[in-house]
Amino acid sequence: MANVLEIMEWYVDAGVDIMLEDAPIDRFAETETLLTKTREPKTQQPRKLPERKAQQTPARVQPTATMPDAETAKAARELAVSAASLEDLQKIMTGFDGCNLKRTAKTTVFADGNPASRIMFIGEAPGRDEDIQGLPFVGRAGQLLDRMLAAINLTRENAYITNVIPWRPPGNRTPTPQETEICRPFIERHIELIQPELIVMLGGSSAKTLLKTTDGIMRLRGKWTEVVTPNSTVKSMPTLHPAYLLRQPAQKRLAWQDFLQVRQFLEGLSA
Ligand code: URA
């Protein structure tokens, strides 16, 4: 039994979080059948138009099929706005079962750092180390983030760090738009409760979600913008994700330019 559980955990870590069919499907055989059919000689009979059916929408794409998601998103919004404090919000998120990512995650990773900070760093979602330790940015990318913070005189004592998604996606895959939308009310409420004077979005996923844009991070980074939540508007800077910088160290100079702008802004605040 222990072995079975270990094997299943291994699959989940590798990103296999759902089973689609009981039996494998031979797609090659299907393609072959299709090809054979299209190769059959055509008859010269005049083509008869198919009769219109009264109801042609297959059951699985009927509008009601999307309702549970809309309801879950509504429940998330109502719960999030009901949070009057960070403690409330953390409790609500820990008890929320509407996002499938929670089923495979070990912990709900809420935040780290100083809630009274003027600056809030927001990443994408926890990875393996964060899921185990229950804190954001504690793995290799987190260690680089700590060094980047130190370069502009910040630490976890005076900065606040969280993610758009509080649950680790299996195999560290990118969260789906549906997962992101379900979690959006929580990060928006999180921002409203922290009331930062500046948000730094770490990476394309965080920036696209919070800025509600499809533009890529290379286009967005380094330019001042605003994150708008239902009850606040916060000055913001999108920059490159530390995990990306680990893979592409030559791009660190771009992140450094962005961080210098952040430092300048913070110096202006305390001048
Ligand atoms: N990457 C993120 O976006 N967040 C973390 O907490 C860790 C890695």
Side-chain angles (χ1 to χ4, degrees):
M1 185 62 184
N3 272 349
V4 175
L5 282 178
E6 275 169 24
I7 290 168
M8 290 181 81
E9 269 185 15
W10 184 86
Y11 273 126
V12 167
D13 274 346
V16 182
D17 56 337
I18 50 166
M19 298 242 317
L20 292 177
E21 300 286 347
D22 287 339
I25 299 172
D26 187 347
R27 300 285 180 204
F28 291 108
E30 280 181 0
T31 314
E32 186 50 38
T33 317
L34 263 175
L35 287 174
T36 334
K37 272 190 187 154
T38 49
R39 275 189 220 118
E40 278 170 12
K42 286 184 185 149
T43 58
Q44 294 305 310
Q45 300 292 323
R47 259 182 71 220
K48 233 179 108 185
L49 288 173
E51 276 174 31
R52 267 185 98 94
K53 289 196 192 120
Q55 174 54 279
Q56 296 200 334
T57 317
R60 68 191 169 87
V61 293
Q62 277 173 358
T64 49
T66 59
M67 280 311 285
D69 296 333
E71 275 170 20
T72 310
K74 186 164 170 265
R77 274 197 300 278
E78 286 172 2
L79 282 166
V81 294
S82 77
S85 66
L86 279 181
E87 293 70 30
D88 276 358
L89 184 65
Q90 183 167 12
K91 245 187 246 162
I92 285 170
M93 286 165 64
T94 308
F96 181 73
D97 287 327
C99 181
N100 60 303
L101 292 177
K102 192 174 175 205
R103 283 191 280 138
T104 48
K106 289 184 174 64
T107 47
T108 300
V109 179
F110 187 67
D112 195 15
N114 188 342
S117 175
R118 291 166 146 179
I119 182 163
M120 185 169 184
F121 289 82
I122 308 181
E124 175 181 310
R128 192 170 190 274
D129 296 307
E130 290 75 20
D131 188 36
I132 292 168
Q133 295 188 42
L135 289 170
F137 284 100
V138 289
R140 278 187 68 225
Q143 286 156 22
L144 175 56
L145 176 62
D146 285 342
R147 293 199 294 278
M148 292 162 74
L149 294 182
I152 56 167
N153 307 321
L154 291 175
T155 65
R156 292 187 188 228
E157 303 290 304
N158 57 15
Y160 191 78
I161 304 171
T162 188
N163 285 302
V164 169
I165 307 260
W167 299 289
R168 180 199 178 200
N172 297 343
R173 65 164 168 75
T174 305
T176 65
Q178 191 196 16
E179 289 157 356
T180 305
E181 285 315 304
I182 285 174
C183 294
R184 174 190 293 285
F186 298 127
I187 186 61
E188 289 186 344
R189 188 69 189 139
H190 207 150
I191 292 168
E192 289 172 1
L193 290 167
I194 292 293
Q195 294 185 287
E197 292 189 54
L198 175 61
I199 290 174
V200 177
M201 291 160 277
L202 299 167
S205 182
S206 166
K208 283 180 191 175
T209 305
L210 295 171
L211 299 175
K212 302 185 179 105
T213 176
T214 52
D215 285 353
I217 189 65
M218 282 304 176
R219 182 181 287 259
L220 297 169
R221 62 145 287 276
K223 298 188 189 109
W224 290 113
T225 181
E226 285 175 341
V227 168
V228 180
T229 71
N231 297 298
S232 72
T233 298
V234 186
K235 189 170 175 104
S236 302
M237 170 64 70
T239 191
L240 303 174
H241 195 288
Y244 171 75
L245 297 176
L246 287 173
R247 295 192 300 273
Q248 303 286 336
Q251 305 288 39
K252 282 184 187 169
R253 69 187 173 85
L254 297 179
W256 177 235
Q257 287 168 13
D258 305 343
F259 267 56
L260 282 180
Q261 293 199 69
V262 168
R263 182 167 81 182
Q264 229 168 30
F265 177 81
L266 291 176
E267 283 168 358
L269 282 183
S270 43

